[in-house]
């Protein structure tokens, strides 16, 4: 095992540039959607009125909301297109099933069970593979969130068109689902996702991997032993070996990351205040 | 001795004797009076000037009358006794009907009850020597001057407090109103002034059913000018309710206010009316606030439907009335005012959907339940997950640190 570890490369690529960029656009548009959508949902709160007026009034709020919606929709479609392309054009079924796929595996259920056992000190920490069960939950929550919030949003945006096919009371439901699912998303991302990926003691104050794309060998070995062993066995580590992330990239990640976390916590606090 | 300047009196007597030696006692002419009362420094024992401006008097509407019409007790020249002060009773010798009306007005009653600062004839019409026709631009009761005349008292909060007048600054509010601006800025005679709504000699307080501004009289009073609006209002549910004596039904002033009547095309006005409708229609306001329309107006913006966009403003009719804008047959046309593509399916939208009412909005009700369940389930699970994980991680870290 030790022989497989390159003596010069201590870092490995975990997230490629495409996914980092998509995550960046997703993050920016999600914040934009939240900042322009939450005032409408919590319209009775003073901060909502002030924020909506500060942004430039209803016309501006709805314009930015729709613009960010289009950006996020493009992220969604681009991601979906790349998965389908990989699976059916490049012929790599691994994105749809197996350790490199985001699709939940039977092992994920067992992992979760043993993770809980570890919480109570009833066993060792489960040995995770490339994607853990909570990462998959985050992923699917966002995936279905986008599908549901997006669909209901477009139904309301183009109500004149959709009103030719669906009864008007569906617009009532669309607004309710749009706003409740969005609240779920905002709360989940700004609490659970932040904790799972950044705030928990092992990662505090943040995991820079989404910005640098790189993990150290120690990290990979400790957090994803199954992936590490698989890569060693398949001699795949050299292919993803890379330099340590340069300082500027880490600082860039910290700057963006702390900004997003701060905005996220402010928005989360405002929703609680308005309840 | 009531004239301090005896010299003046003596001089006047001499002049009079010289000028009018043959004047009979019962035929005192205005010239005889003016022989003294035109002298610039003629003052009474209380220091008040007793001078009459002969020019202004002859130009006044009373200019052709002999002085003795009002000063009937000034029977000798010079007078032996101080003639009585001119009062309401004096005016009544000619204007008996007007004075009788006045006596029953809020001002007249206040005066009877001892309020010496309540308006009398001269308070509004000016001094009897200079009084002019109300159609004369110089008259204090000329329509363009009247608000300032009334405002001399009704712009004084202290006076309002003393007399328990509910609106303490009616004059200031009026000046800011669409009526006040039309009058002061545009000089419009047709702009409503105080008397257009309150009357003049017969002014009554609003709690008096006889008053032109009592709740039930307001529509007719406003309708005096706004005939078209009154016609629409009278045929709507609110107008009909008022006709039946329902004091809770809204009248003009509930939405438009009594004095500070504003333009209706401003955002603050449009937004305030939603709350006004909601004072009675609480349930409808609550459910409206749950819709996109209601959310946007709550934020302070008005490019979305407000109550009146669907229900009308002056002529509000129930959905059961085939003429109503929200009657099933008219819904498409009503929604199309904002949503040109609206069709029969589109108008099945529920502008007052209640997510707590499974009978009225079953789809929405169950969707709301489902979403609540989803949110609660996710956060219970991940709340526990997160807390347990945090505790275990902290324990592990302490153990690792301890080992070091």
């Amino acid at each position: 095992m030790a022989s497989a570890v390159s003596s010069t490369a201590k870092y490995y690529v975990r997230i490629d540039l495409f996914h980092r960029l998509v995550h960046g656009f997703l993050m920016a548009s999600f914040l934009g959607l939240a900042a322009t959508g939450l005032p409408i949902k919590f319209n009775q709160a003073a901060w909502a009125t002030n924020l909506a007026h500060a942004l430039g009034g209803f016309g501006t709020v709805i314009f930015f909301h729709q613009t960010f919606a289009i950006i996020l929709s493009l992220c969604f479609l681009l991601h979906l297109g790349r998965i389908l392309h990989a699976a059916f054009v490049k012929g790599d079924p691994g994105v749809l099933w197996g350790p490199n796929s985001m699709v939940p595996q039977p092992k994920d259920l067992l992992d979760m069970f043993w993770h809980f056992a570890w919480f109570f000190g009833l066993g060792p920490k489960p040995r995770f593979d490339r994607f853990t069960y909570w990462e998959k939950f985050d992923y699917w929550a966002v995936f279905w969130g986008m599908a549901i919030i997006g669909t209901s949003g477009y139904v309301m945006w183009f109500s004149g068109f959709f009103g030719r096919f669906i009864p008007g009371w569906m617009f009532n439901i669309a607004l309710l689902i749009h706003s409740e699912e969005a609240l779920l998303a905002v709360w989940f991302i700004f609490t659970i996702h932040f904790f799972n990926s950044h705030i928990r003691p092992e990662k505090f104050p943040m995991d820079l991997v989404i910005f640098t794309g790189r993990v150290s060998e120690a990290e990979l070995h400790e957090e994803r032993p199954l992936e590490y062993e698989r890569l060693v066995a398949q001699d795949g580590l050299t292919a993803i070996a890379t330099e340590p992330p340069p300082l500027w990239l880490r600082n860039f990640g910290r700057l963006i990351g702390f900004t997003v976390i701060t905005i996220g916590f402010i928005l989360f606090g405002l929703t609680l205040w308005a309840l | 001795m009531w004239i301090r300047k005896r010299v003046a009196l003596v001089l006047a007597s001499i002049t009079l004797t010289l000028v009018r030696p043959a004047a009979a006692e019962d035929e005192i002419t205005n010239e005889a009076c003016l022989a003294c009362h035109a002298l610039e420094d003629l003052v009474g024992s209380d220091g008040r000037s007793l001078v009459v401006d002969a020019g202004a008097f002859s130009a006044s509407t009373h200019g052709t009358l002999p002085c003795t019409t009002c000063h009937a007790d000034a029977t000798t020249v010079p007078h032996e006794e101080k003639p009585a002060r001119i009062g309401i009773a004096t005016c009544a010798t000619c204007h008996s009907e007007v004075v009788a009306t006045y006596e029953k007005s809020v001002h007249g009653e206040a005066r009877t009850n001892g309020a010496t600062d309540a308006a009398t004839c001269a308070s509004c019409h000016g001094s009897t020597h200079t009084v002019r026709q109300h159609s004369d631009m110089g008259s204090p009761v000329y329509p363009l001057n009247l608000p300032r005349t009334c405002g001399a008292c009704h712009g004084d909060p202290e006076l309002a407090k003393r007399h328990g007048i509910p609106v303490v600054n009616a004059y200031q509010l009026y000046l800011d109103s669409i009526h006040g601006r039309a009058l002061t800025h545009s000089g419009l005679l047709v702009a409503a002034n105080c008397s257009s709504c309150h009357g003049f000699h017969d002014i009554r307080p609003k709690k008096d059913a006889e008053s032109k501004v009592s709740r039930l009289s307001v529509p007719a009073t406003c309708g005096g000018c706004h005939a078209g609006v009154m016609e629409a209002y009278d045929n709507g549910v609110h107008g009909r309710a008022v006709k039946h004596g329902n004091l809770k039904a809204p009248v003009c002033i509930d939405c438009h206010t009594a004095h500070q009547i504003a333009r209706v095309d401003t955002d603050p006005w449009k937004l305030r009316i939603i709350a006004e409708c909601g004072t009675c229609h609480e349930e409808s306001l609550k459910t409206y606030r749950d819709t996109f329309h209601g959310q946007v107006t709550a934020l302070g913006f008005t490019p979305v439907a407000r109550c009146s966009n669907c229900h009308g403003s002056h002529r509000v009719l129930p959905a059961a009335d085939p003429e109503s804008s929200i009657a099933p047959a008219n819904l498409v046309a009503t929604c199309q005012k904002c949503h040109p593509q609206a069709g029969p399916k589109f108008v099945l939208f529920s502008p007052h959907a209640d997510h707590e009412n499974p009978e009225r909005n079953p789809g929405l009700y169950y969707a709301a339940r489902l979403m609540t369940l989803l949110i609660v389930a996710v956060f219970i699970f991940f709340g526990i997950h997160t807390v347990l994980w945090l505790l275990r991680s902290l324990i592990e870290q302490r153990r690792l640190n301890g080992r070091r």
Side-chain angles (χ1 to χ4, degrees):
Chain A
M1 195 168 100
S3 63
V5 180
S6 159
S7 54
T8 51
K10 291 284 181 209
Y11 276 81
Y12 302 105
V13 173
R14 171 159 167 77
I15 303 171
D16 67 23
L17 184 63
F18 173 82
H19 283 117
R20 272 139 59 195
L21 282 176
V22 168
H23 184 267
F25 278 110
L26 176 123
M27 208 163 58
S29 55
F30 182 80
L31 284 181
L33 284 162
T36 51
L38 290 174
I40 299 177
K41 177 166 178 66
F42 294 102
N43 52 74
Q44 312 280 339
W47 64 259
T49 317
N50 293 337
L51 182 56
H53 281 85
L55 288 169
F58 176 70
T60 323
V61 168
I62 211 78
F63 170 80
F64 279 119
H65 199 74
Q66 290 170 343
T67 304
F68 287 126
I70 291 172
I71 294 172
L72 189 54
S73 302
L74 287 177
C75 288
F76 183 77
L77 294 176
L78 211 58
H79 172 70
L80 204 62
R82 203 176 132 113
I83 297 273
L84 296 176
H85 182 263
F88 298 108
V89 181
K90 289 199 326 202
D92 173 20
V95 295
L96 297 182
W97 192 262
N100 285 323
S101 164
M102 287 309 280
V103 176
Q105 310 289 307
K107 180 183 180 297
D108 290 317
L109 214 60
L110 289 171
D111 279 356
M112 190 172 78
F113 177 80
W114 288 113
H115 205 209
F116 266 104
W118 174 72
F119 292 163
F120 290 105
L122 299 175
K125 197 171 172 179
R127 290 160 60 77
F128 295 110
D129 209 313
R130 180 164 168 75
F131 298 115
T132 63
Y133 69 89
W134 70 82
E135 286 164 343
K136 290 183 184 180
F137 189 94
D138 279 15
Y139 172 84
W140 286 105
V142 172
F143 191 95
W144 288 117
M146 280 195 286
I148 291 169
I149 302 174
T151 307
S152 56
Y154 284 114
V155 163
M156 290 189 287
W157 184 355
F158 301 105
S159 59
F161 171 77
F162 285 102
R164 284 167 22 203
F165 315 107
I166 58 168
W169 50 264
M170 297 281 277
F171 299 141
N172 294 109
I173 297 177
L175 176 63
L176 180 116
I177 289 178
H178 189 81
S179 115
E180 296 288 285
E181 181 77 30
L183 186 66
L184 172 60
V186 164
W187 282 352
F188 190 85
I189 297 294
F190 297 152
T191 59
I192 309 295
H193 172 68
F194 277 8
F195 174 83
N196 287 350
S197 301
H198 304 289
I199 318 272
R200 68 186 159 95
E202 298 87 341
K203 297 287 177 189
F204 190 84
M206 72 170 57
D207 189 347
L208 288 173
V209 66
I210 198 62
F211 303 108
T212 65
R214 307 165 205 203
V215 285
S216 70
E217 175 157 54
E219 249 179 301
L220 185 62
H221 185 231
E222 157 69 23
E223 291 175 12
R224 303 171 203 280
L226 288 186
E227 184 189 15
Y228 183 80
E229 285 163 17
R230 197 155 37 77
L231 283 167
V232 169
Q234 294 169 358
D235 211 11
L237 274 178
T238 31
I240 56 167
T242 182
E243 296 296 310
L247 181 64
W248 72 264
L249 187 58
R250 278 180 284 144
N251 280 341
F252 173 76
R254 289 189 184 105
L255 184 71
I256 303 279
F258 280 121
T259 308
V260 170
I261 287 188
T262 307
I263 296 174
F265 279 157
I266 290 172
L267 289 173
F268 175 67
L270 290 176
T271 63
L272 291 189
W273 189 15
L275 281 185
Chain B
M1 187 53 67
W2 61 278
I3 293 181
R4 202 190 291 155
K5 294 204 170 175
R6 297 192 65 186
V7 185
L9 182 71
V10 174
L11 275 174
S13 307
I14 297 163
T15 319
L16 188 75
T17 320
L18 291 171
V19 175
R20 304 274 317 176
E25 269 189 9
D26 56 339
E27 274 182 45
I28 298 170
T29 62
N30 289 0
E31 287 76 11
C33 299
L34 286 169
C36 294
H37 288 281
L39 294 173
E40 272 176 30
D41 49 0
L42 188 71
V43 291
S45 56
D46 54 0
R48 276 160 51 105
S49 170
L50 295 174
V51 179
V52 175
D53 182 338
F57 176 70
S58 58
S60 82
T61 191
H62 288 158
T64 54
L65 298 174
C67 301
T68 50
T69 310
C70 298
H71 303 282
D73 52 350
T75 49
T76 57
V77 177
H79 332 297
E80 295 298 325
E81 297 293 320
K82 176 185 178 180
R85 292 283 306 274
I86 300 300
I88 299 161
T90 325
C91 301
T93 49
C94 297
H95 305 284
S96 61
E97 265 182 50
V98 168
V99 170
T101 310
Y102 164 83
E103 299 282 6
K104 280 185 267 173
S105 78
V106 70
H107 292 138
E109 280 181 356
R111 210 150 242 282
T112 312
N113 294 334
T116 51
D117 53 353
T120 89
C121 311
S123 317
C124 301
H125 293 279
S127 153
T128 40
H129 292 137
T130 56
V131 71
R132 288 163 183 253
Q133 290 281 352
H134 63 78
S135 54
D136 187 319
M137 269 191 125
S139 164
V141 294
Y142 182 70
L144 298 186
N145 304 330
L146 186 67
R148 196 168 55 231
T149 304
C150 299
C153 295
H154 294 284
D156 176 7
E158 288 303 314
L159 177 131
K161 222 180 281 173
R162 261 198 322 275
H163 294 286
I165 300 170
V167 184
V168 300
N169 56 342
Y171 176 58
Q172 289 85 343
L173 292 174
Y174 169 82
L175 283 189
D176 264 348
S177 77
I178 197 161
H179 291 145
R181 280 158 196 259
L183 186 130
T184 57
H185 291 212
S186 311
L188 288 179
L189 285 177
V190 290
N193 59 46
C194 313
S195 71
S196 314
C197 300
H198 294 278
F200 22 96
H201 298 123
D202 56 347
I203 295 168
R204 302 286 312 148
K206 67 177 177 188
K207 57 181 184 281
D208 187 329
E210 300 275 297
S211 168
K212 285 181 68 156
V213 294
S214 79
R215 260 194 97 65
L216 299 183
S217 316
V218 162
T221 299
C222 299
C225 294
H226 300 275
V229 172
M230 185 172 73
E231 203 270 335
Y233 172 82
D234 281 347
N235 286 315
V237 276
H238 296 142
R240 277 185 247 153
V242 168
K243 277 250 155 53
H244 286 100
N246 184 343
L247 290 168
K248 281 186 179 165
V251 297
C252 317
I253 56 167
D254 291 310
C255 294
H256 296 280
T257 74
H259 294 108
Q260 202 177 14
I261 297 162
R263 293 183 66 94
V264 296
D265 52 5
T266 63
D267 278 1
W269 198 88
K270 289 176 181 174
L271 295 170
R272 199 184 64 73
I273 295 311
I274 297 169
E276 183 61 37
C277 297
T279 54
C280 289
H281 303 281
E282 282 174 43
E283 175 64 24
S284 301
L285 178 61
K286 187 173 153 278
T287 50
Y288 167 75
R289 285 276 176 250
D290 283 345
T291 69
F292 188 66
H293 297 147
Q295 293 179 329
V296 174
T297 54
L299 273 181
F301 309 108
T302 56
V304 291
R306 292 164 287 113
C307 314
S308 61
N309 294 112
C310 305
H311 296 279
S313 46
H314 298 121
R315 187 162 172 263
V316 177
L317 293 171
D321 188 322
E323 280 194 48
S324 168
S325 51
I326 56 159
N330 302 330
L331 271 181
V332 170
T334 300
C335 295
Q336 275 181 344
K337 287 196 290 180
C338 298
H339 304 276
Q341 289 175 289
K345 276 197 168 137
F346 182 97
V347 303
L348 295 172
F349 173 70
S350 184
H352 293 279
D354 183 358
H355 61 81
E356 289 166 6
N357 188 333
E359 276 88 47
R360 206 159 54 125
N361 304 99
L364 190 66
Y365 174 83
Y366 291 109
R369 288 293 121 115
L370 194 69
M371 290 313 297
T372 307
L373 186 72
L374 179 66
I375 292 177
V376 169
V378 164
F379 283 98
I380 286 182
F381 182 82
F382 276 100
I384 293 171
H385 187 269
T386 299
V387 169
L388 291 177
W389 193 355
L390 178 64
L391 292 174
R392 172 52 56 191
S393 288
L394 291 173
I395 292 168
E396 291 289 314
Q397 282 212 327
R398 251 177 98 181
R399 220 175 52 193
L400 279 175
N401 290 341
R403 227 180 267 165
R404 271 181 220 147

